[in-house]
């Protein structure tokens, strides 16, 4: 018998032996870390939970409150350091790439290849779902931050329509103030202040200015007179808040608009989830429009479920979760409730309301015209260390602890130190 034949026979025997072995017992549960704790967010997440339950996969919920995910990322670092690895984690942009670079994430290429994810996920999202050519995350949605949410009855009472320019916006905010209505509902938390900043930057200098300052981190642009204008606008917006804004959660700010206690909220389209969850209808009860002067531009962020490297016994449930997230029917059902739009380009817009349809159309248009940019506030413009440095300066200024005249230089310095 040749050596080769012996080898082949050996392989055959091994295959028989393996087939005779019982398959490794699979844990039929996924543990999911996320920060979707508001009413609208929880309602959206329930769609995924129940889809997985139908597949026989139980859901171990690990919610970590705190909009924007700052707290969730802190808890995650502690968990992973202590060796307690969740199955999947909600994550944004550059954080995904950081975890991938550490070698902590699994490999979804088999599933992604079979399911053709490359063809249906926009490249702007793939930039964060893949690392070194490997799929490491399943994108759930695309949110965008340059939105304003308005109470329609309040606007009618003020005789106002959605403003189209900064000056028009200021005129309506002044009207609300004069009528004794809180013009802007806001929660003073760094990520919320930064969310305003995304929109303000676009309104001041359009896509070029946004890209040069937030994505290219160009020192001259960070220190430019346009940046002074952006900080002036932030200071102006600050004058339209109620006295209790400090530390308020974003969904409580949404509730102020829902109840008619405030006219507007500048917030990403997860705010729509709160209006919907409260039984409100777009165009009838509330209005959604792009931050004045930013129509045509979109600052996006995509929630992705990052799949950690898990033991063989947990892989099956993890794969089922990745498949469930990327299912086109799920992407429609989830995003209708969440306020975001699908992460797949092949999901029809039929089930979406007017704001959802607008979100999908705006995204397509911005992508085609080169005006789609990652949101700085939500981790898609620059790495976490730079984002954090920006948050610090923006918040300090917003709270009156840093003069507008000095803010651009401080921003440039903080970015240079964090890079
Ligand atoms: C996430 C949204 C979430 C929002 C508020 C954003 O960073 O992308 O899904 O609803 O934070 O928590």
């Amino acid at each position: 018998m040749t050596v080769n034949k012996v080898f082949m026979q050996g392989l055959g025997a091994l295959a028989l032996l393996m087939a005779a072995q019982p398959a490794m017992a699979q844990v039929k549960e996924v543990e999911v870390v996320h920060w979707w704790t508001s009413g609208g967010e929880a309602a959206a997440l329930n769609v995924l939970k129940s889809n997985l339950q139908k597949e026989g996969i139980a859901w171990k919920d690990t919610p970590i409150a705190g909009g924007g995910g700052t707290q969730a990322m802190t808890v995650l670092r502690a968990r992973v350091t202590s060796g307690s690895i969740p199955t999947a984690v909600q994550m944004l942009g550059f954080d995904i790439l950081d975890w991938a670079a550490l070698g902590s994430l699994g490999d979804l290429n088999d599933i992604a290849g079979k399911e053709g994810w490359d063809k249906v996920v926009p490249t702007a999202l793939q930039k964060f779902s893949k690392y070194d050519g490997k799929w490491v995350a399943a994108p759930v949605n695309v949110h965008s931050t340059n939105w304003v949410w308005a109470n329609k009855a309040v606007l009618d009472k003020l005789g106002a329509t959605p403003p189209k320019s900064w000056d028009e916006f200021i005129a309506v905010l002044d009207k609300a103030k004069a009528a004794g209505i809180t013009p802007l509902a806001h929660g003073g938390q760094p990520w919320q202040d930064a969310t305003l900043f995304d929109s303000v930057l676009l309104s001041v200098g359009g896509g070029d200015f946004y890209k040069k300052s937030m994505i290219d981190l160009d020192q001259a642009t960070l220190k430019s007179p346009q940046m002074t204008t952006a900080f002036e606008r932030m200071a102006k917006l600050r004058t339209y808040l109620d006295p209790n804004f400090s530390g308020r959660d974003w969904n409580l700010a949404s509730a102020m608009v829902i109840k008619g206690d405030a006219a507007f909220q500048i917030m990403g389209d997860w705010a729509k989830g709160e209006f919907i969850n409260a039984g409100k209808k777009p165009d009838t009860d509330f209005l959604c429009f792009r931050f004045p002067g930013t129509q045509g531009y979109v600052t996006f962020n995509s929630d992705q479920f990052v799949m950690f490297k898990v033991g063989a016994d947990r892989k099956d449930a993890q794969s089922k979760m990745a498949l469930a997230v990327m299912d086109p029917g799920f992407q429609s059902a989830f995003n209708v409730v969440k306020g975001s739009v699908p992460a797949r380009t092949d999901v029809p817009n039929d089930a979406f309301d007017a704001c959802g349809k607008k979100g999908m159309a705006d995204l397509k248009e911005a992508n085609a015209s080169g005006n789609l940019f990652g949101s700085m506030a939500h981790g898609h413009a620059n790495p976490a260390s730079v984002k954090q440095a920006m948050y610090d300066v923006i918040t300090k200024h917003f709270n009156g602890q840093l003069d507008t005249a000095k803010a651009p230089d401080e921003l440039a310095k903080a970015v240079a130190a964090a890079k």
Side-chain angles (χ1 to χ4, degrees):
M1 219 188 307
T2 63
V3 175
N4 201 27
K5 250 190 179 162
V6 173
F7 178 70
M8 293 309 285
Q9 273 183 358
L11 266 191
L14 190 67
L16 277 176
L17 193 73
M18 281 172 66
Q21 294 284 324
M24 172 175 288
Q26 289 292 322
V27 177
K28 291 193 179 313
E29 179 189 79
V30 284
E31 193 212 347
V32 184
V33 173
H34 64 90
W35 65 91
W36 284 332
T37 53
S38 77
E41 292 173 329
L45 196 58
N46 275 338
V47 180
L48 184 58
K49 281 186 198 171
S50 64
N51 281 4
L52 276 169
Q53 265 150 17
K54 280 181 221 147
E55 298 267 324
I57 304 292
W59 181 276
K60 184 172 173 204
D61 204 36
T62 305
I64 297 156
T70 314
Q71 279 93 314
M73 290 304 104
T74 307
V75 172
L76 178 67
R77 278 190 291 277
R79 287 255 332 234
V80 175
T81 309
S82 70
S84 162
I85 314 288
T87 319
V89 180
Q90 176 196 358
M91 218 181 267
L92 296 172
F94 280 86
D95 286 328
I96 304 179
L97 304 182
D98 282 350
W99 280 104
L102 287 174
S104 306
L105 305 188
D107 180 351
L108 299 174
N109 266 7
D110 271 0
I111 308 178
K114 266 186 231 138
E115 298 286 316
W117 292 1
D118 273 303
K119 281 182 240 116
V120 293
V121 175
T123 38
L125 302 196
Q126 285 191 32
K127 196 180 146 202
F128 300 107
S129 328
K130 282 167 128 180
Y131 185 79
D132 258 356
K134 256 195 283 176
W135 282 86
V136 293
V140 193
N141 62 7
V142 188
H143 272 302
S144 60
T145 59
N146 57 318
W147 285 105
V148 183
W149 306 89
N151 181 302
K152 175 138 188 325
V154 169
L155 254 59
D156 289 349
K157 196 170 137 201
L158 296 173
T161 51
K164 295 218 162 48
S165 65
W166 172 257
D167 290 343
E168 280 180 34
F169 195 21
I170 295 303
V172 188
L173 291 167
D174 282 337
K175 261 192 183 175
K177 203 176 195 173
I181 296 165
T182 299
L184 267 187
H186 182 71
Q189 296 173 345
W191 74 271
Q192 293 190 59
D193 303 343
T195 302
L196 262 54
F197 201 67
D198 274 357
S199 287
V200 165
L201 287 175
L202 278 180
S203 80
V204 169
D208 271 357
F209 176 53
Y210 187 88
K211 180 173 177 294
K212 276 195 201 138
S213 58
M214 296 294 107
I215 296 170
D216 303 341
L217 306 177
D218 175 59
Q219 280 286 308
T221 312
L222 288 165
K223 287 189 257 189
S224 65
Q226 275 183 313
M227 194 56 83
T228 309
T229 308
F231 279 106
E232 273 165 12
R233 289 189 176 184
M234 290 295 286
K236 183 73 179 162
L237 290 178
R238 168 82 159 73
T239 65
Y240 295 109
L241 312 185
D242 69 314
N244 303 320
F245 80 98
S246 189
R248 174 189 288 137
D249 285 331
W250 68 272
N251 53 317
L252 300 181
S254 305
M256 289 167 68
V257 179
I258 293 172
K259 283 191 242 150
D261 294 342
F264 302 103
Q265 182 184 22
I266 301 163
M267 190 43 63
D269 39 15
W270 46 90
K272 194 190 84 179
E274 296 306 297
F275 285 85
I276 302 295
N277 196 49
K280 303 295 178 192
K281 302 258 174 301
D283 292 339
T284 311
D285 305 310
F286 69 95
L287 302 171
C288 59
F289 55 95
R290 292 288 169 186
F291 187 90
T294 75
Q295 181 63 51
Y297 301 109
V298 168
T299 34
F300 82 97
N301 60 298
S302 163
D303 292 301
Q304 310 215 11
F305 276 117
V306 163
M307 301 297 168
F308 270 76
K309 248 184 209 161
V310 291
D313 59 335
R314 292 167 69 196
K315 277 213 173 115
D316 186 46
Q318 188 181 54
S319 302
K320 287 210 167 90
M321 173 157 172
L323 283 171
V325 165
M326 292 303 288
D327 175 69
F330 163 74
Q331 292 252 339
S332 178
F334 174 90
N335 287 304
V336 159
V337 182
K338 182 70 171 67
S340 36
V341 305
R344 301 177 62 116
T345 50
D346 59 349
V347 177
N349 72 359
D350 309 339
F352 288 79
D353 61 26
C355 297
K357 285 194 169 82
K358 175 170 170 51
M360 284 169 93
D362 285 355
L363 182 68
K364 203 168 164 194
E365 185 201 319
N367 191 28
S369 61
N371 286 316
L372 176 64
F373 305 102
S375 153
M376 174 278 293
H378 295 268
H380 282 68
N382 47 52
S385 53
V386 175
K387 176 186 89 171
Q388 199 50 54
M390 289 188 170
Y391 274 19
D392 291 348
V393 176
I394 294 163
T395 287
K396 210 166 136 192
H397 169 265
F398 199 62
N399 288 316
Q401 291 150 358
L402 173 64
D403 288 349
T404 294
K406 291 192 187 132
D409 275 358
E410 283 279 316
L411 184 68
K413 255 194 266 159
V415 169
K419 264 213 274 189

